[in-house]
Amino acid sequence: MPATETVTGTFTPPTRFAVPGRIEVGSRAAGRWQTATLTAIRRETPRAATFRFAVPEWAGHLPGQHLMLRLTAEDGYTAQRHYSIASAPDDSGHIELTLDHVEGGEVSGWFHTVARPGDRVEVRGPLSGFFAWPGDRPALLIGAGSGVVPLMSMVRHHRARGLTVPLRLLVSARSPEELIYAREYGPETTPVLTRSAPEGVPVGRLTAAHLAPLMDDRPAGGWEAYVCGSNAFAEHASRLLVAAGQPVDRIRVERFG
Amino acid sequence: MTPDPWAAARSGPEGTTRMNITRGFTGRPRVSDPGLPPGQYDAGDDWPVLSAEVTPDLAAADWTFRVDGLVERETTWTWDEAHALPASAYRGDIHCVTGWSKFGVRFGGVLLDAFLDAARPLPSATHAVAYSHTGYTANLPLADLTGGRAWIAWEYDGRPLDPEHGGPARLVVPHLYFWKSAKWIAGLRILDHDEPGFWERNGYHARGNPWQEQRYAGD
Ligand SMILES: Cc1cc2nc3c(=O)[nH]c(=O)nc-3n(C[C@H](O)[C@H](O)[C@H](O)COP(=O)(O)OP(=O)(O)OC[C@H]3O[C@@H](n4cnc5c(N)ncnc54)[C@H](O)[C@@H]3O)c2cc1C
């Protein structure tokens, strides 16, 4: 686990739309590129797969954090992208990432068409404590597509540690086939299927009606909300949350761009 | 030292290699674009949104911009007062720490110099914290904010700046990574020391010069 540092005496601006308080994470680990060796590939959906890496000197992470990943070509050309960490923190010396295959994507394309166990890439991180969930406060997680990845790290952490703090996940996908981690969800999760669903399951995008029961059910002290996905989804979901009464300073948003 | 520049990278022991080549990775065709800082790619028409907070519902009429701290005259401008200052536009490139760059963008607004000339930073002033109506902060050396290098912008491509991109008005400091260009800008606190902002407290670089690839602390 990274050390949590508190910076005191810094200027706090007056504001009407406060950003949530942060967990400040030490930056020592982020400064250095490390080799990550691919050890396994697990298919999740036709478009997404999980890549497991051995990173022997991994400094540990909090659920919700991401890393920077770099590929290098023979001529020294590099491509780097951010990826959320899918696995819960543990001391296995391994981490997992789940990547969507983006059409024409330089980095995700390499992972989905070339990569095989034994390949080595480079990572630096973990980065950004802002979206991290240390497992302390009740959490309401809302994700779409690969935006569920950092949220799954939280769900896995909750399970692995047997935490009793309330945790709920709303996950949106086009169809059951495209729902990442479908087999892993338990009673904490409500899938929202936008294009097709099994008999008897409603089809349609996330609405206020999905949030209402969760807001009614909120624990004393309320939820910390974590929203992750495309910008369009993040805007939609965060607006619904605000309309449902969730305080803006308790909504963290991670946009994949 | 060695005739084959890549040999060391391929065979050197772990940790001493300068480069770790990824098997089978060729990447996109190389564009030798002198406008592209190291490690960046051209996002074309895309303009990704990466703010960490809920986009605020902030009307232009409620927007204000303030310069305070180590200045002779702490001053607050309303939307109309800010618009009465001499108009200025930035035309050029912007670079995001996540890797994308955008070429030939056009922001319209007012040079930050116009506000600072009115507030007059004290001789002891060296740095500033830019703060947003959301509470977001970013720290900058004062030298990066003066001399025609920074703007308060309310137009993009001749149209009002979209709320997702920081409208009604944002800071634009195009020669630094774009997280420094605080959206929904509310003010500048002028200081005699550097004080980390939102991302800087989360491991990002204090200055963020894309040409030196200053992404994270220690770069
Ligand atoms: C904090 C954060 C966390 C993230 N976590 C995850 C995650 O957990 N899982 C995940 O799958 N993704 C995640 N992402 C997104 C990820 O970083 C990449 O953006 C994504 O994998 C696409 O990268 P790529 O190299 O495959 O595609 P890119 O090559 O970047 O292409 C993206 C799109 O742009 C087009 N394009 C871009 N440049 C060019 C060009 N020069 N020429 C032609 N076309 C171009 C491509 O055709 C494609 O449609 C995250 C992003 C952020 C910011």
Side-chain angles (χ1 to χ4, degrees), chain A residues 48-49 66-67 77 79-86 97-110 112 146-150 180-181 228 254-257, chain B residues 28-29 31 41-44 46 50 98 204:
Chain A
H66 61 264
L67 52 69
Y77 170 86
Q80 41 189 340
R81 301 286 185 272
H82 284 112
Y83 291 102
S84 301
I85 301 159
L97 308 179
T98 301
L99 272 66
D100 245 340
H101 190 176
V102 174
E103 201 62 47
E106 191 171 37
V107 173
S108 68
W110 180 84
H112 281 271
S146 57
V148 71
V149 174
I180 300 176
Y181 313 129
C228 187
E254 181 107 287
R255 305 169 203 245
F256 282 0
Chain B
R28 286 224 164 77
V31 280
Y41 65 91
D42 179 0
D46 263 17
L50 292 152
T98 62
Y204 283 75

Side-chain angles (χ1 to χ4, degrees), chain B residues 65 90 92-96 105 107 110-113 116 128-130 138-153 170-183 185 188 206-211:
Chain B
F65 177 68
Y90 169 70
D93 310 334
I94 56 174
H95 312 288
C96 174
V105 301
F107 284 101
V110 168
L111 270 177
L112 201 55
D113 295 289
L116 291 171
V129 173
N139 54 303
L140 299 108
L142 206 49
D144 281 316
L145 294 171
T146 50
R149 303 212 286 169
W151 287 259
I152 298 298
R170 76 180 295 163
L171 179 64
V172 173
V173 191
H175 66 284
L176 300 179
Y177 282 126
F178 220 46
W179 91 77
K180 296 288 185 181
S181 296
K183 297 177 177 184
I185 187 76
L188 279 186
R207 176 143 187 264
N209 178 352
W211 297 98

Side-chain angles (χ1 to χ4, degrees), chain A residues 11 15 17-19 22 35 72 74-75 80 82 104 106 110 114 119-120 124 129-130 231 235 255, chain B residues 10 14 20 22-23 28 30 49-53 55 133-134 164 195 198-199 201-202 213 216 219:
Chain A
F11 163 63
T15 173
F17 307 93
V19 278
R22 282 78 62 177
T35 300
T72 305
E74 289 264 344
D75 64 355
Q80 41 189 340
H82 284 112
E106 191 171 37
W110 180 84
V114 180
D119 282 339
R120 294 187 303 171
R124 69 193 291 192
F130 164 73
N231 177 54
E235 281 291 309
R255 305 169 203 245
Chain B
R10 278 194 293 265
E14 209 61 50
N20 281 306
T22 316
R23 183 192 61 82
R28 286 224 164 77
R30 312 293 181 262
V49 175
L50 292 152
S51 21
E53 66 266 57
T55 301
H133 285 276
T134 60
E164 278 171 33
E195 201 172 277
F198 180 82
W199 289 118
R201 270 177 272 161
N202 273 291
E213 218 176 343
Y216 303 104
D219 281 354

Side-chain angles (χ1 to χ4, degrees), chain B residues 58-111:
Chain B
L58 179 62
D62 295 332
W63 177 86
T64 52
F65 177 68
R66 178 173 172 78
V67 178
D68 57 19
L70 297 177
V71 293
E72 282 177 34
R73 273 205 331 195
E74 297 196 332
T75 311
T76 303
W77 289 263
T78 62
W79 183 253
D80 290 339
E81 286 161 354
H83 279 67
L85 296 169
S88 174
Y90 169 70
R91 192 177 198 117
D93 310 334
I94 56 174
H95 312 288
C96 174
V97 70
T98 62
W100 56 265
S101 291
K102 253 179 108 51
F103 291 144
V105 301
R106 190 155 53 93
F107 284 101
V110 168
L111 270 177

